[in-house]
DNA sequence: ACCTGTCAAGTCTGG
DNA sequence: CCAGACTTGACAGGT
């Protein structure tokens, strides 16, 4: 079992892979100035991403989520005509190769604004464009389709059945590459694990099971003993199964992520996964302290073994 | 060096 | 119909 963290590294100084700019600022610049600004940010984000991978290698961290903001304003109209994939071909490849050579499994997560099942055509169109950006990004790194992209199902719009149908229908319009990469996650408010599982099974794609979201949002008749074997089954042929784990911030603010991971709850969940299946898996930790929380959890677990 | 208002994006709730 | 919450780090400009 391997632990992973998302995007930001707190141990490394001046190493954000998320440098960005605003449309308002860009529009004050000449066309040439805009290009320079975007190129500078992308170059730095790729360099910092590589630094983070090197940190991961040095600390034996084998699982990491790339930021979706490495390419600033990637699908915004201000970036139309900016051929960054050609310009930074080598840099993209360098990052992808480093991950592969050092057996660091990477993934991505489309943002909360990527909503494939929206009842608005323009939102669906932009969401498809955003997903295809993730695909082009990973293809530029020459990472195969076991490098996954996480997506939530989206909104409900007062009719969940229709919203789910729209999700499935719009999924079919995606390119083969992103279809092979997409994994769908149960969320904390709208779509339960059972609902996401049904979609995943029908589309033949994996579900990334989030235990914290399950605790926030589940129906009475759902139980882990029945769900987890089905979760593992969706991963057949898709690489190592991936799970999300986070500790609630507090009783009053249950849905938010805490700074660190509670080792006792974590161990309990992992033991349950190990009881469910012999298949090895990855766990993405979602918490404020990122890599620091991962290293702390590892220490806590080792201590408890003694 | 530090502080503050602002930022591409969607959905949902409550007034 | 509209404002604010959600969640939230980082930028740009000002002090």
């Amino acid at each position: 079992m391997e632990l992973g963290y998302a995007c930001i590294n707190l141990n490394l100084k001046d190493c954000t892979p998320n440098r960005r700019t605003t449309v308002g600022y860009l529009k004050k610049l000449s066309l040439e100035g805009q290009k320079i600004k975007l190129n500078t940010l992308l170059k730095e984000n790729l360099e910092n991403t590589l630094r983070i991978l090197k940190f991961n290698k040095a600390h034996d961290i084998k699982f990491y989520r790339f930021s979706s903001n490495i390419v600033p304003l990637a699908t915004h109209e201000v970036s139309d005509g900016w051929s960054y994939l050609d310009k930074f071909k080598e840099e993209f490849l360098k990052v992808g190769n480093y991950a592969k050579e050092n057996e660091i499994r990477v993934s991505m997560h489309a943002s909360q604004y990527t909503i494939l099942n929206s009842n608005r055509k323009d939102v669906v169109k932009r969401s498809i464009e955003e997903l295809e950006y993730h695909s082009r990004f990973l293809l530029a790194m020459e990472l195969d389709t076991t490098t996954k992209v996480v997506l939530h199902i989206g909104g409900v719009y007062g009719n969940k059945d229709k919203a789910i149908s729209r999700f499935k229908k719009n999924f079919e319009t995606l390119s083969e590459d992103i279809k092979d990469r997409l994994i769908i996650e149960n969320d904390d408010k709208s779509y339960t694990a059972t609902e996401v599982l049904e979609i995943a099974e029908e589309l033949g794609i994996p579900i990334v099971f989030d235990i914290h979201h399950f605790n926030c949002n589940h129906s009475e008749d759902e139980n882990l003993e029945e769900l987890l074997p089905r979760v593992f089954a969706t991963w057949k042929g898709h690489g190592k199964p991936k799970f999300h784990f986070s500790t609630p911030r507090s009783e009053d603010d249950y849905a938010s992520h805490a700074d660190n991971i509670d080792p006792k709850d974590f161990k309990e969940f992992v033991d349950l996964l190990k009881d469910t299946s012999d298949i090895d898996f990855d766990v993405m930790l979602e918490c404020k302290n990122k890599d620091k929380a991962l290293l702390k959890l590892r220490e806590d677990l080792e201590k408890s073994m003694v």
Side-chain angles (χ1 to χ4, degrees), chain A residues 219-266:
Chain A
S219 66
E220 271 182 32
D221 54 352
E222 282 184 300
N223 69 78
L224 293 175
E225 287 70 23
E226 284 175 36
L227 287 175
L228 290 177
R230 285 173 70 191
V231 169
F232 274 100
T234 64
W235 281 89
K236 200 158 187 257
H238 286 277
K240 270 195 184 185
K242 302 195 189 321
F243 293 87
H244 288 177
F245 189 94
S246 49
T247 296
R249 176 153 287 282
S250 66
E251 275 305 315
D252 291 341
D253 188 12
Y254 192 84
S256 298
H257 296 156
D259 294 351
N260 290 301
I261 301 294
D262 181 315
K264 194 169 155 285
D265 291 347
F266 179 83

Side-chain angles (χ1 to χ4, degrees), chain A residues 160-173:
Chain A
K160 199 173 250 187
D161 288 341
K162 277 191 180 164
I164 289 174
S165 301
R166 272 200 306 278
F167 185 91
K168 294 177 193 164
K169 191 170 135 265
N170 292 334
F171 173 86
E172 295 301 341
T173 71

